[in-house]
Amino acid sequence: FSEAIRHAPALQEISLVCRRISDVGMKDLSDAIRFAPALQNISLRCREISDEGMKSFSEAIRHSPALPSISLQCREISDDGMKYFSEAIRHAPALQNISLNCEEQMS
């Protein structure tokens, strides 16, 4: 996936719907985000994202200073996962819209 994104520098939106994304899958997605300078929106809907997955995703957000919009819908994100995300959005100066919808938060 990330290799394909490298050849699509004009990509403006990534939308992913899945039941569960593995740590490797999330790292691959995060690598792709870093190679998409025109990215305007990330929409991610998953049942569960692990702490390691949220850490990778959050690092990608930190390295995407022009990203204006993130939509994250999931059933389960742990407290640590939310801490990674919260810290990352502090370092995202262009971020204008965050849509966050989690049914339950794991401890």
Side-chain angles (χ1 to χ4, degrees), residues 40-59:
Q40 297 292 305
N41 183 43
I42 299 169
S43 179
L44 182 58
R45 287 181 29 188
C46 293
R47 183 184 178 278
E48 178 184 348
I49 302 172
S50 72
D51 290 345
E52 197 60 38
M54 280 304 291
K55 186 175 183 179
S56 294
F57 184 63
S58 299
E59 283 298 315

Side-chain angles (χ1 to χ4, degrees), residues 3 16 40 64-65 75-76 80-81:
E3 191 62 36
L16 179 65
Q40 297 292 305
S64 300
R75 186 162 176 219
E76 299 173 3
D80 286 341

Side-chain angles (χ1 to χ4, degrees), residues 5 9-10 19-20 25 31 33 45 50 59 64 91 96 100:
I5 299 301
R19 180 173 167 83
R20 182 180 188 283
D31 288 346
I33 292 167
R45 287 181 29 188
S50 72
E59 283 298 315
S64 300
H91 301 282
Q96 298 173 1
L100 182 61

Side-chain angles (χ1 to χ4, degrees), residues 23 25-31 33-34 42 44 49-65 67 70 72 77-93 95 98 100:
D23 292 343
M26 194 58 137
K27 179 160 180 12
D28 197 37
L29 172 64
S30 299
D31 288 346
I33 292 167
R34 293 179 191 208
I42 299 169
L44 182 58
I49 302 172
S50 72
D51 290 345
E52 197 60 38
M54 280 304 291
K55 186 175 183 179
S56 294
F57 184 63
S58 299
E59 283 298 315
I61 292 168
R62 280 180 173 237
H63 292 95
S64 300
L67 180 68
I70 298 171
L72 182 60
I77 295 179
S78 74
D79 290 341
D80 286 341
M82 286 307 295
K83 286 178 189 174
Y84 294 133
F85 184 70
S86 297
E87 183 62 30
I89 60 176
R90 289 183 183 167
H91 301 282
L95 199 55
I98 299 172
L100 182 61

Side-chain angles (χ1 to χ4, degrees), residues 8 37 88 102:
C102 294

